[in-house]
């Protein structure tokens, strides 16, 4: 996908990586629509992207997540790519992570991204990209992250299956499995304390990686078509 003039929706543009991605895409000439939960961050990122159209997105409102797609199509006059950057971490041994937290992790990390991308299947044409950020936890399944890793693995498996369904006719379906990024994400976990992690990638490096994946239709992510 050529980023210049591409019409791109970034759900989770209120987060550190999503905001940096939206701003980079805008700087490269893409036309951006942003969606996110925190109203102040949403206003800030919309302003930084040339007063981009902006919409509230709450992971617990799956219909609202899906409706972000026709909204973005209307605002941008079509849609060439969707890059879901919504996510939340959770830490702790499985017996200490209650079912309420498990439901939260699955909703934010799997059900909400799937609701957005399912709706986007009918809107983004061949040549476009449907992408979500998962993480290396999908492959590593580290101790102390069972429910977080399982929620990201659920999203990753959904992406793999849809990629197979759409390999001849649809947009590229891309799973971007980032390793640890110094965005403060682990410190915003919904439960538990993060393990001591080696220094991660910078946010700029993470954005480079996502852009590679978008422009190569997934080859840069290692989990493309
Ligand atoms: N940073 C890392 O080490 C790392 C590594 C691998 C993968 N990832 C993935 O990268 C993505 C971006 O992470 P980040 O580092 O930029 O973290 P972040 O700054 O905490 O961003 C998280 C994003 O998810 C949104 N979100 C969380 N809970 C939500 C809810 N209930 N409803 C709607 N939106 C919700 C946040 O919205 P608000 O800010 O508006 O509340 C924010 O836009 C996530 O999917 C994360 O899993 C991160």
């Amino acid at each position: 996908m050529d980023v210049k003039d591409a019409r791109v929706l970034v759900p989770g543009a209120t987060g550190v990586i999503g905001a940096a991605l939206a701003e980079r895409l805008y700087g490269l000439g893409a036309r951006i629509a942003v969606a996110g939960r925190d109203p102040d961050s949403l206003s800030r990122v919309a302003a930084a992207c040339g007063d981009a159209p902006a919409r509230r997105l709450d992971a617990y409102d799956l219909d609202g997540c899906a409706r972000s797609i026709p909204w973005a199509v209307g605002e941008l006059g079509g849609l060439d790519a969707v890059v879901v950057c919504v996510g939340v971490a959770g830490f702790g041994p499985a017996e200490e992570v209650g079912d309420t937290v498990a439901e939260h992790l699955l909703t934010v990390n799997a059900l909400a991204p799937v609701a957005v991308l399912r709706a986007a299947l009918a809107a983004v044409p061949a040549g476009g990209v449907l992408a979500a950020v998962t993480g290396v936890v999908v492959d590593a399944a580290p101790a102390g992250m069972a429910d977080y890793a399982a929620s990201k693995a659920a999203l990753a498996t959904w992406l793999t299956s849809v990629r197979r369904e759409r390999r001849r006719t649809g947009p590229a379906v891309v799973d971007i499995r980032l390793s640890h990024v110094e965005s403060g994400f682990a410190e915003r976990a919904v439960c538990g304390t993060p393990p001591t992690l080696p220094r991660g990638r910078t946010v700029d490096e993470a954005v480079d990686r996502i852009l590679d994946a978008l422009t190569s239709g997934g080859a840069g992510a290692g989990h493309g078509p």
Side-chain angles (χ1 to χ4, degrees):
M1 189 190 82
D2 187 358
V3 164
K4 184 156 176 9
D5 295 324
R7 298 158 297 183
V8 185
L9 171 65
V10 184
T14 46
V16 174
I17 293 173
L21 173 68
E23 289 173 35
R24 181 87 73 86
L25 285 167
Y26 174 68
L28 292 169
R31 293 173 51 207
I32 304 296
V34 291
R37 182 176 53 166
D38 179 72
D40 294 339
S41 306
L42 193 56
S43 302
R44 225 174 5 252
V45 70
C49 294
D51 289 326
R55 179 182 167 95
R56 291 290 300 281
L57 182 139
D58 182 334
Y60 275 84
D61 176 8
L62 297 179
D63 289 343
C65 289
R67 282 198 301 273
S68 68
I69 296 298
W71 166 80
V73 168
E75 292 289 338
L76 300 176
L79 204 48
D80 301 299
V82 179
V83 191
V84 181
C85 296
V86 171
V88 67
F91 301 106
E95 71 271 21
E96 289 176 16
V97 174
D99 289 330
T100 305
V101 169
E103 182 184 38
H104 183 78
L105 292 169
L106 276 163
T107 302
V108 175
N109 292 325
L111 295 178
V114 163
V116 171
L117 294 172
R118 192 193 311 282
L121 282 167
V124 176
V129 181
L130 302 183
V133 180
T134 63
V136 294
V137 292
V138 169
D139 302 301
M145 302 187 200
D147 290 271
Y148 172 60
S151 65
K152 287 292 192 182
L155 176 57
T157 299
W158 188 88
L159 292 167
T160 301
S161 186
V162 174
R163 183 181 312 124
R164 289 176 177 146
E165 289 174 11
R166 292 304 187 100
R167 71 186 182 283
R168 291 190 214 292
T169 54
V173 179
V174 178
D175 171 359
I176 303 158
R177 292 192 191 172
L178 291 183
S179 55
H180 175 53
V181 180
E182 297 295 336
S183 67
F185 176 70
E187 285 72 41
R188 288 187 285 282
V190 68
C191 67
T193 308
T196 307
L197 295 164
R199 187 150 188 84
R201 292 168 186 259
T202 65
V203 171
D204 270 355
E205 287 168 339
V207 171
D208 289 344
R209 174 93 192 280
I210 296 171
L211 275 174
D212 278 355
L214 294 181
T215 52
S216 67
H223 293 90

